Amino acid sequence: MEYDVVIVGAGPAGLAAACRLRQLSSDISVCVVEKGSEVGAHILSGAVFEPTALNELFPDWKALGAPLDTPVTEDEIYVLRNASAGIKVPGMLVPKTMHNEGNYIISLGNLCRWLAGQAENLGVEIYPGFAAAEILFHEDGRVKGIATGDAGISASGEHKDSYTPGMELHAKYTLFAEGCRGHLGKQVIKRFGLDTGRGTQHYGIGIKELWEIDPGKHRQGLVVHSAGWPLQESGALGGGFLYHLENNQVALGLITDLCYANPFVSPFEEFQRYKQHPVIRQFLEGGKRLSYGARAITKGGPQALPKMSFPGGLLIGCDAGTLNFAKIKGSHTAMKSGMVAAEAVHAALATRGQEGEEITGFTDAFMDSWAGRELQLQRNFGPAQHKFGNVLGSAYAFVDINLFNGKLPWTLSDDLADHEQLKPAAQSRRIDYPKPDGVISFDRLSSVFLSNTNHEEDQPCHLTLRDPDVPIRHNLALYDEPAQRYCPAGVYEIVENSEGGKRLQINAQNCVHCKTCDIKDPTQNIVWVTPEGAGGPNYPNM
Ligand SMILES: Cc1cc2nc3c(=O)[nH]c(=O)nc-3n(C[C@H](O)[C@H](O)[C@H](O)COP(=O)(O)OP(=O)(O)OC[C@H]3O[C@@H](n4cnc5c(N)ncnc54)[C@H](O)[C@@H]3O)c2cc1C
Ligand code: SF4
């Protein structure tokens, strides 16, 4: 099938690009493919949403019924000192990036569902349940489009009765908007050397739950952020969030930076401990957990942003790494990158002879937009945390951002990739996490159940190993196989084999598509590829 523009991924970046393209010209044919069973099914975010990009894209979003129903009314930040004590940080000492006046507490999944409706009204074709599995190239090396994955192939590679071959979608321009650690985006970066001369990319894993709480404890519009315990006790970095949405619901989660060194760290168990802290637990007692999920975030900042253009396409949103880590927000910047991309593609299509030619000015156009400038001013927040830890790093950020407005004339960086940071198990402290109480804290399997994750079982494993011996020979021996702990869905288990030895069992049907294994595996031996379309989590309003 031929289109002017094919977009991979119906997240904020992809959908904003699709809408903007059709606003600019109803002659441009636009198609979006989405691997989730429906738009929003794979979207997981906090989310406190900054409406800057939405105000530009749909100035009348209120009249159009956009699901932004809860303005932020209160902002609280805590430094959790230990399992029982926490200090509320006075407002005047909070970096201004963490102030949320004018923002909304939303479900990003629901916002994407609404954006998809707007895109369809503008004439965009959206195909949920179709994973882009392969990039197609012209003979001269330009990207020609994508192929969706075949369906109906058995685990042993044979065609089942249900076999349906994938489709080729050809386009003058293909926009990759797969979100953090995109499977195809990663290939595009490598093939075109887009990260040459750029800083090292960094990531975090965010684990989130949605609860319905006692109405007497609910304060719609309250935003709570925290740093310190429990991650600090485990030598890890990151922070927690708890947002009071509408309908007596709260969204809460913990983001663990994936630069941690101790292979015994378990982001999932850290989140279970986090919920037990009195500052958080007070809201959850008497409440009911509704949903669970996890997703990685790209947080390296503008110093790690690859070149975003290549012949035949562009890389946008968190697939490139447009998140503002100082704000822990990436939706507004992802949307803006999609809108700038749409304007660049529209201009290129309007100029004869430009079809598929590289839009070389796109990275600069994005960096010159308010979103790029915002990233630039707050570029030192993430590396400062890596260098000085959460508390001193935040103090540094306060000086850099509040006092110097991000204009200090240097750029910090952390050149060691997250997967290179682990220390051998023999040199690391074992961490004994408490057993779940089944009330506030839970185990992985009951959690994954709440993500409504579903994969066709008889299909090739989408968690591929470059070398099947590495998990036992290298990872287990040296690091006690950290995949057992960093995977938030219990996919990786070390079990006994029939000869009394050990083997890695991969429960691929539990995978919530967070991409942590693809990022943190110490030898980059695990490669996440797209499973059959529509497989994966089915998040409601995450
Ligand atoms: C725990 C957590 C909390 C966060 N909190 C906030 C917050 O409070 N505020 C904020 O602004 N931001 C927050 N973020 C960041 C924000 O969610 C992201 O920056 C934003 O979602 C990025 O948008 P995107 O469109 O680039 O990617 P995504 O939102 O990840 O969307 C990508 C889409 O592409 C689809 N896709 C991927 N690969 C393929 C493929 N090969 N074929 C077809 N479809 C594909 C995915 O299924 C998905 O629907 C948070 C993130 C996390 C994980
Ligand atoms: S297998 Fe990998 S991508 Fe899937 S849930 Fe586990 S860590 Fe995330």
Side-chain angles (χ1 to χ4, degrees):
M1 292 166 76
E2 302 281 339
Y3 293 91
D4 291 318
V5 183
V6 165
I7 300 174
V8 181
L15 291 169
C19 291
R20 192 84 190 102
L21 274 162
R22 294 285 300 186
Q23 285 174 340
L24 290 166
S25 167
S26 55
D27 291 334
I28 299 178
S29 56
V30 183
C31 161
V32 180
V33 287
E34 165 55 50
K35 67 179 165 62
S37 61
E38 52 147 355
V39 172
H42 288 184
I43 298 289
L44 181 143
S45 192
V48 173
F49 180 69
E50 191 175 305
T52 32
L54 184 64
N55 289 339
E56 287 179 10
L57 188 61
F58 292 108
D60 53 346
W61 57 261
K62 269 195 186 137
L64 291 169
L68 274 63
D69 299 318
T70 299
V72 176
T73 52
E74 302 168 77
D75 247 328
E76 293 182 354
I77 299 199
Y78 289 85
V79 175
L80 306 183
R81 289 169 48 217
N82 52 42
S84 56
I87 304 168
K88 192 164 158 189
V89 181
M92 56 189 271
L93 294 182
V94 172
K96 58 185 174 196
T97 52
M98 296 299 285
H99 292 271
N100 284 300
E101 302 92 343
N103 296 338
Y104 292 80
I105 302 176
I106 64 159
S107 148
L108 190 64
N110 283 350
L111 180 65
C112 287
R113 290 180 180 102
W114 178 85
L115 278 171
Q118 302 309 307
E120 281 176 334
N121 291 344
L122 286 161
V124 175
E125 290 178 35
I126 303 182
Y127 295 108
F130 287 89
E134 187 190 342
I135 310 171
L136 306 171
F137 296 95
H138 289 285
E139 274 177 12
D140 64 4
R142 268 177 308 141
V143 169
K144 186 184 187 183
I146 54 98
T148 62
D150 296 342
I153 297 190
S154 73
S156 54
E158 280 139 22
H159 290 187
K160 298 187 285 187
D161 292 346
S162 55
Y163 174 72
T164 324
M167 281 184 304
E168 290 202 357
L169 303 179
H170 297 174
K172 290 166 188 153
Y173 287 101
T174 306
L175 307 189
F176 293 89
E178 304 162 277
C180 175
R181 194 73 167 192
H183 154 59
L184 300 181
K186 192 173 131 181
Q187 293 174 28
V188 165
I189 291 172
K190 187 162 182 220
R191 179 170 178 121
F192 294 105
L194 302 180
D195 55 354
T196 307
R198 311 296 300 144
T200 305
Q201 191 56 274
H202 288 280
Y203 302 88
I205 166 75
I207 302 184
K208 173 183 167 179
E209 287 177 353
L210 194 65
W211 284 61
E212 185 177 336
I213 64 164
D214 175 353
K217 297 177 179 173
H218 189 250
R219 286 155 62 188
Q220 187 165 342
L222 171 65
V223 164
V224 180
H225 284 119
S226 67
W229 192 87
L231 291 170
Q232 203 170 30
E233 195 177 284
S234 306
L237 297 169
F241 64 87
L242 186 143
Y243 305 148
H244 290 239
L245 296 140
E246 51 275 7
N247 302 327
N248 295 321
Q249 292 185 357
V250 295
L252 71 157
L254 185 73
I255 295 180
T256 303
D257 286 10
L258 285 174
C259 64
Y260 65 79
N262 183 337
F264 294 109
V265 165
S266 162
F268 176 86
E269 312 288 353
E270 295 290 337
F271 175 54
Q272 303 310 316
R273 292 208 293 168
Y274 163 76
K275 286 186 286 175
Q276 298 286 9
H277 196 281
V279 167
I280 304 303
R281 190 185 164 102
Q282 56 167 331
F283 293 114
L284 304 181
E285 271 169 346
K288 181 176 175 233
R289 192 168 69 134
L290 303 176
S291 190
Y292 166 87
R295 183 77 173 100
I297 63 168
T298 320
K299 53 177 273 290
Q303 43 286 57
L305 197 66
K307 186 173 160 233
M308 295 161 83
S309 66
F310 48 88
L314 301 173
L315 198 59
I316 57 175
C318 281
D319 216 351
T322 55
L323 179 128
N324 180 339
F325 190 54
K327 291 185 174 174
I328 329 169
K329 293 185 185 66
S331 314
H332 64 302
T333 44
M335 285 180 71
K336 183 64 181 173
S337 73
M339 291 153 66
V340 178
E343 282 149 23
V345 168
H346 172 251
L349 289 174
T351 317
R352 281 182 39 193
Q354 293 266 313
E355 288 180 7
E357 258 179 49
E358 180 170 349
I359 306 174
T360 48
F362 174 61
T363 313
D364 287 346
F366 171 70
M367 288 310 294
D368 287 344
S369 73
W370 56 255
R373 289 197 299 275
E374 179 183 309
L375 297 189
Q376 187 59 21
L377 290 180
Q378 289 146 30
R379 68 196 179 283
N380 285 329
F381 183 92
Q385 309 274 323
H386 283 209
K387 271 193 193 318
F388 311 125
N390 268 154
V391 176
L392 283 180
S394 297
Y396 173 91
F398 177 84
V399 174
D400 188 347
I401 296 169
N402 284 36
L403 304 186
F404 289 91
N405 209 18
K407 293 194 174 133
L408 287 175
W410 55 77
T411 296
L412 303 176
S413 63
D414 176 0
D415 297 332
L416 204 58
D418 294 334
H419 71 269
E420 297 169 320
Q421 309 243 7
L422 285 179
K423 291 209 167 82
Q427 295 166 24
S428 307
R429 180 176 68 84
R430 273 188 185 272
I431 305 173
D432 288 322
Y433 291 107
K435 290 225 171 340
D437 61 16
V439 180
I440 302 291
S441 55
F442 301 92
D443 63 10
R444 280 178 172 78
L445 286 188
S446 67
S447 300
V448 176
F449 179 74
L450 287 182
S451 68
N452 300 315
T453 295
N454 186 34
H455 288 94
E456 162 61 46
E457 283 201 19
D458 187 16
Q459 65 170 304
C461 183
H462 72 280
L463 300 153
T464 61
L465 300 178
R466 289 186 209 274
D467 176 347
D469 291 338
V470 161
I472 301 301
R473 181 171 41 81
H474 183 265
N475 286 1
L476 185 63
L478 200 54
Y479 302 114
D480 196 39
E481 184 48 283
Q484 301 177 83
R485 288 171 292 275
Y486 62 60
C487 172
V491 168
Y492 299 99
E493 282 181 291
I494 298 291
V495 296
E496 296 241 323
N497 64 19
S498 47
E499 290 99 49
K502 306 258 182 186
R503 71 178 175 87
L504 180 72
Q505 177 167 299
I506 303 182
N507 307 309
Q509 65 278 12
N510 283 0
C511 173
V512 295
H513 297 201
C514 74
K515 309 285 180 76
T516 304
C517 51
D518 196 273
I519 297 164
K520 188 66 179 170
D521 180 64
T523 59
Q524 297 289 274
N525 187 48
I526 301 175
V527 180
W528 191 101
V529 302
T530 44
E532 262 185 32
N538 282 287
Y539 295 136
N541 51 334
M542 292 286 262

